[in-house]
Amino acid sequence: MSGLGDRLTDGAYALGWSTVKKLPEPVAARLGRTIADLAWKRRGKGVQRLESNYARVVPDATPERLAELSRAGMRSYLRYWMESFRLPAWSAERVRTGFDPKDVHNLTEALASGRGVILALPHLGNWDLAGAWVTTKLETPFTTVAERLKPESLYDRFVAYREGLGMEVLPHSGGTAFGTLARRLRDGGLVCLVSDRDLSASGVEVEFFGEATRMPAGPALLAQQTGALLLPVTLWYDDSPVMQGRVHPPIEVPETGTRAEKASVMTQALADAFATGIADHPEDWHMLQRLWLKDLDPQKAPENPDGSRNAGDTQQDPEKGTS
């Protein structure tokens, strides 16, 4: 059954990239909204987890408000997928006009410095579109990291998709990604990493919307080791076909402290920048997985109806391919 499930998953993504990209844009948008509304009405685990996460972001929200947010969140999530399936067919002009980042001077000035630049993003909006805009509008290639997915053919599809948008994609496993990223940065290159969820033992504990979670140490450690500039980026949608975004000012490396202490301070600053963007546009934060440590700890997690407790997520998340 596992092999059959893998083939079905791979086939579903293959169908998306082969079929959705051929649809007129308004038709693809309507299809995305329809799928999102159907998923929202089913109230599956992903929708329930999305609502639970939004309750942290908007703590005074009523149940009705949380339901509105989760419906909007699912529509935003499916907009991400419809855009991603269609991106390989977009013209260069459509890519250039499809994203309107604010304070982009923070990025262009950082690139001009020659020090290397790390862009760190949360699961907001469409980071693939933002990446395509960088390679197309700014004509700047960059390197990112993708988690190895199962089946292997699905991982290969995601790599081919992102490479087709002008990205260099490194596998997360194998222990070589950090060294390659460091070399790219020392050469004055650009690295982009989705960085709002790291449930491994190496993650840095931060306070996020008033509670503890872990985020990757990689962006801060790379900045320390290479002298590269670390810039948070937040993204969001409005009612237009154009995605919005903001490039935040660089996060400085502290002058004192151990390597780990500096990484902790910098990762907390990154979490704070992410929180501002998520608080302003919670419906565009596509976090359908457990995030906060309280939800992951079997002793602290809420009980299920049968009295058992969830120790954490085991589902694969192909969307987080640049973590």
Side-chain angles (χ1 to χ4, degrees):
M1 289 300 294
S2 176
L4 175 61
D6 287 347
R7 290 195 296 273
L8 289 174
T9 299
D10 182 51
Y13 284 101
L15 182 65
W17 270 303
S18 64
T19 303
V20 174
K21 71 178 181 181
K22 298 177 183 178
L23 297 175
E25 196 160 336
V27 175
R30 285 198 299 272
L31 176 62
R33 288 194 297 271
T34 299
I35 296 172
D37 289 347
L38 288 172
W40 179 76
K41 289 177 181 177
R42 287 181 58 194
R43 301 283 303 166
K45 290 182 178 179
V47 173
Q48 293 180 50
R49 176 51 51 189
L50 189 65
E51 264 183 37
S52 177
N53 290 338
Y54 286 161
R56 263 34 180 266
V57 177
V58 190
D60 58 348
T62 63
E64 293 76 16
R65 172 61 177 150
L66 288 175
E68 291 174 359
L69 275 175
S70 65
R71 183 179 188 183
M74 290 303 296
R75 286 187 169 192
S76 176
Y77 185 52
L78 264 295
R79 175 173 172 175
Y80 162 86
W81 280 114
M82 293 297 108
E83 286 181 348
S84 295
F85 288 141
R86 289 178 50 77
L87 262 176
W90 280 18
S91 67
E93 181 62 19
R94 178 67 181 90
V95 172
R96 285 192 290 266
T97 59
F99 180 40
D100 181 24
K102 311 300 185 288
D103 300 325
V104 73
H105 67 90
N106 286 322
L107 173 56
T108 55
E109 290 170 4
L111 290 171
S113 73
R115 293 174 52 184
V117 179
I118 306 158
L119 296 180
L121 306 88
H123 285 79
L124 267 173
N126 188 337
W127 42 98
D128 286 327
L129 172 55
W133 183 90
V134 168
T135 61
T136 304
K137 176 76 172 181
L138 300 185
E139 298 182 345
T140 302
F142 66 87
T143 304
T144 188
V145 177
E147 179 184 359
R148 282 203 174 276
L149 305 173
K150 293 182 180 180
E152 189 74 15
S153 56
L154 179 58
Y155 170 78
D156 292 339
R157 289 187 192 279
F158 270 91
V159 170
Y161 158 63
R162 291 187 167 114
E163 287 180 342
L165 299 177
M167 312 176 193
E168 179 189 23
V169 183
L170 306 176
H172 188 273
S173 59
T176 62
F178 189 92
T180 303
L181 294 174
R183 287 193 295 274
R184 299 291 183 269
L185 293 168
R186 290 193 184 99
D187 290 338
L190 176 64
V191 165
C192 299
L193 301 169
V194 178
S195 308
D196 58 343
R197 184 173 185 260
D198 185 349
L199 306 181
S200 69
S202 61
V204 175
E205 187 168 319
V206 296
E207 183 179 292
F208 196 53
F209 291 103
E211 293 189 34
T213 186
R214 286 193 293 268
M215 293 188 181
L221 294 174
L222 283 167
Q224 286 185 59
Q225 185 165 315
T226 67
L229 295 164
L230 173 57
L231 280 64
V233 177
T234 51
L235 310 170
W236 67 92
Y237 292 123
D238 56 19
D239 294 329
S240 76
V242 180
M243 185 176 70
Q244 307 297 314
R246 172 162 286 107
V247 182
H248 297 253
I251 292 174
E252 301 293 338
V253 177
E255 295 183 359
T256 61
T258 65
R259 188 167 180 258
E261 289 169 344
K262 292 177 180 179
S264 178
V265 170
M266 295 174 72
T267 306
Q268 182 63 62
L270 203 59
D272 293 342
F274 291 167
T276 62
I278 293 168
D280 288 342
H281 305 279
E283 68 278 5
D284 293 321
W285 188 39
H286 308 151
M287 187 55 66
L288 281 71
Q289 297 81 29
R290 298 177 189 273
L291 180 74
W292 280 274
L293 301 187
K294 186 178 292 185
D295 293 339
L296 295 162
D297 188 331
Q299 298 305 314
K300 297 179 181 177
E303 287 191 354
N304 294 320
D306 63 356
S308 64
R309 295 180 185 270
N310 293 321
D313 285 330
T314 57
Q315 69 186 75
Q316 185 170 249
D317 177 16
E319 186 194 1
K320 68 169 188 171
T322 54
S323 59

